[in-house]
Amino acid sequence: MTTSKPSRLPLNPRFSSGPCSKRPGWSPDALKGALTGRSHRSKEGKARLGLAIEKTRALLGLPDGYHVGIMPGSDTGAFEAAMWSLLGSRGVDVLAWEAFGKIWVVDILRELKIENARALEADYGVLPDLSAVDFSRDVVFTWNGTTAGVRVPNGDWIPDDREGLTLVDATSAIFAQPIDWAKTDVVTYSWQKVLGGEGAHGVLILSPRAVARLESTVPRWPLPKLFRLTKKGKLDAAIFEGETINTPSMLCVEDYLDALSWAESVGGLAGLMARADANARVLFDWIERTPWVENLARDRATWSNTGVCLKVVDPAITALSDAEQAAFAKRIVSRLEAEGAALDFGSYRDAPAGLRVWTGATVETADVEALTPWLDWAFAEEKAAL
């Protein structure tokens, strides 16, 4: 373990889990073509929005019949629009093992008050019992737990002949982990994660089964305009062709188009996943040889390759109170921010005390390699200061 101060800084110290690092080589020049000062409903505006939708469809390799729409409110807005519009006609199983899954639990149980709904929850670091899920019901879950670093290993636990719909918050998984489209009926994400776009906008992907539900079931609660996906009982197709529900930022759309073009240049979806895997592997190898740290995710098969969450396990630190352990982790973060070695890599506010390093596709592997000696150094310095 390195105890002397490293001499090499990461070229890009941005390891935030959202908004995430911009693509390598990004500059404001990427936005020169943005339709600023133009209506998003102009011919040119709709064309840019439509292009973003079509490039998304192509990059993800979506099956025929799947619809892609750009939504307000980031991933949260897209996912809540889906829940408010689709749930309620049958029972619901909602899975939660980290902060955002717990938000969906609150929405379903306390706000929508869906009858015959149950929460299948687990502590940070582990998944709920996937074998207990009842697919005669609608099923709501996050593919990758952004605040826990725990992901579902695959979609094999989801039957193709399920009766209910699967609603998947995939914001920190998509473009970095394989999504089995046969297993998903609703998928949402924000392009500010793995592609490093700007915030405020979400993407909603609907399967033909989800569309059939929209067109056959009327929710028993009022729907605000921002959540309305149908018009006169049919899917509002315009939303999925570039006519957004409300005014989007054309700067953000142009930035997303730039990110999609960059993704194509690094090998498309396979290239993005390979970059995330390579970045995470650097941390995984470091964890294995470093005695003071462990992955918060207990089962190796569930280790996230995007938001890697770390816990300090050195006995001198675990002997401290919870508040003192949290303060210790925050001092590591502050020390490396002061050195310009790493920014915004503390654990999520509701998660166990520790560190969280983003290793998505826009991060360079060399920067993750440069980071690990700094983590060792900061730990040693803070431990010595106790």
Side-chain angles (χ1 to χ4, degrees), residues 10 12-19 283 286 292-293 306-312 328-349 352-359 371-372 374-379 382:
N12 179 6
R14 294 170 177 83
F15 295 102
S16 165
S17 291
L283 280 186
W286 171 73
W292 65 267
V293 71
T306 54
V308 180
C309 295
L310 307 170
K311 59 181 180 179
V312 178
F328 183 86
K330 289 178 180 178
R331 288 196 295 272
I332 290 177
V333 171
S334 295
R335 184 177 287 270
L336 291 195
E337 288 187 347
E339 295 287 345
L343 303 173
D344 308 321
F345 69 104
S347 60
Y348 188 72
R349 61 180 180 268
L355 310 172
R356 181 172 60 156
V357 179
W358 184 256
T359 55
L371 171 65
T372 56
W374 284 98
L375 292 171
D376 284 329
W377 171 77
F379 168 79
E382 292 302 332

Side-chain angles (χ1 to χ4, degrees), residues 115-193:
E115 297 177 3
N116 195 20
R118 60 176 186 163
L120 306 179
E121 299 188 62
D123 292 335
Y124 279 84
V126 294
L127 288 172
D129 180 4
L130 300 183
S131 68
V133 178
D134 181 357
F135 285 97
S136 69
R137 303 148 70 87
D138 293 329
V139 178
V140 174
F141 69 98
T142 53
W143 195 280
N144 182 91
T146 309
T147 66
V150 176
R151 65 175 175 180
V152 295
N154 51 53
D156 294 349
W157 55 287
I158 304 171
D160 290 336
D161 61 350
R162 61 192 175 277
E163 297 176 38
L165 300 178
T166 52
L167 283 70
V168 183
D169 172 1
T171 196
S172 60
I174 203 162
F175 301 115
Q177 300 166 17
I179 304 294
D180 188 340
W181 296 106
K183 310 291 187 178
T184 62
D185 295 301
V186 176
V187 172
T188 68
Y189 67 91
S190 170
W191 56 51
Q192 52 108 345
K193 292 289 187 182

Side-chain angles (χ1 to χ4, degrees), residues 20-346:
C20 300
S21 179
K22 307 297 288 183
R23 64 155 174 88
W26 183 91
S27 78
D29 287 344
L31 307 180
K32 282 183 176 178
L35 291 177
T36 54
R38 292 293 311 278
S39 170
H40 62 294
R41 302 200 187 281
S42 67
K43 178 180 177 181
E44 294 84 356
K46 285 192 287 188
R48 297 307 278 173
L49 288 158
L51 179 62
I53 288 171
E54 289 310 310
K55 287 172 78 73
T56 297
R57 183 189 306 281
L59 184 61
L60 291 174
L62 292 179
D64 291 341
Y66 278 63
H67 298 263
V68 180
I70 296 170
M71 302 291 292
S74 196
D75 176 63
T76 301
F79 201 73
E80 291 194 321
M83 288 194 294
W84 257 251
S85 297
L86 288 162
L87 297 181
S89 63
R90 61 175 63 219
V92 178
D93 279 359
V94 52
L95 283 62
W97 62 90
E98 51 89 49
F100 287 96
K102 293 180 187 297
I103 292 173
W104 312 143
V105 169
V106 170
D107 280 351
I108 289 167
L109 298 185
R110 299 184 194 173
E111 301 300 327
L112 295 176
K113 296 182 173 66
I114 295 174
E115 297 177 3
N116 195 20
R118 60 176 186 163
L120 306 179
E121 299 188 62
D123 292 335
Y124 279 84
V126 294
L127 288 172
D129 180 4
L130 300 183
S131 68
V133 178
D134 181 357
F135 285 97
S136 69
R137 303 148 70 87
D138 293 329
V139 178
V140 174
F141 69 98
T142 53
W143 195 280
N144 182 91
T146 309
T147 66
V150 176
R151 65 175 175 180
V152 295
N154 51 53
D156 294 349
W157 55 287
I158 304 171
D160 290 336
D161 61 350
R162 61 192 175 277
E163 297 176 38
L165 300 178
T166 52
L167 283 70
V168 183
D169 172 1
T171 196
S172 60
I174 203 162
F175 301 115
Q177 300 166 17
I179 304 294
D180 188 340
W181 296 106
K183 310 291 187 178
T184 62
D185 295 301
V186 176
V187 172
T188 68
Y189 67 91
S190 170
W191 56 51
Q192 52 108 345
K193 292 289 187 182
V194 176
L195 292 184
E198 292 303 298
H201 297 71
V203 175
L204 172 65
I205 300 173
L206 300 178
S207 75
R209 296 180 77 241
V211 173
R213 171 75 67 81
L214 280 171
E215 295 182 342
S216 63
T217 304
V218 177
R220 63 176 183 268
W221 40 72
L223 281 180
K225 177 184 177 182
L226 292 180
F227 290 175
R228 293 176 201 157
L229 302 176
T230 58
K231 181 179 288 187
K232 297 180 179 179
K234 295 294 183 182
L235 180 73
D236 189 350
I239 295 172
F240 302 89
E241 296 169 356
E243 294 189 22
T244 53
I245 292 174
N246 71 336
T247 305
S249 163
M250 298 309 293
L251 276 171
C252 290
V253 171
E254 197 67 23
D255 191 60
Y256 182 47
L257 286 167
D258 173 74
L260 290 168
S261 295
W262 170 77
E264 294 165 354
S265 76
V266 297
L269 185 59
L272 294 172
M273 292 191 290
R275 287 177 64 88
D277 284 343
N279 292 337
R281 193 175 305 117
V282 172
L283 280 186
F284 296 166
D285 290 346
W286 171 73
I287 290 169
E288 289 183 350
R289 65 176 184 266
T290 303
W292 65 267
V293 71
E294 289 182 0
N295 198 311
L296 181 61
R298 298 179 198 172
D299 182 352
R300 180 68 181 257
T302 69
W303 287 14
S304 171
N305 67 340
T306 54
V308 180
C309 295
L310 307 170
K311 59 181 180 179
V312 178
V313 295
D314 184 276
I317 309 307
T318 57
L320 302 173
S321 69
D322 289 347
E324 290 170 329
Q325 291 182 57
F328 183 86
K330 289 178 180 178
R331 288 196 295 272
I332 290 177
V333 171
S334 295
R335 184 177 287 270
L336 291 195
E337 288 187 347
E339 295 287 345
L343 303 173
D344 308 321
F345 69 104

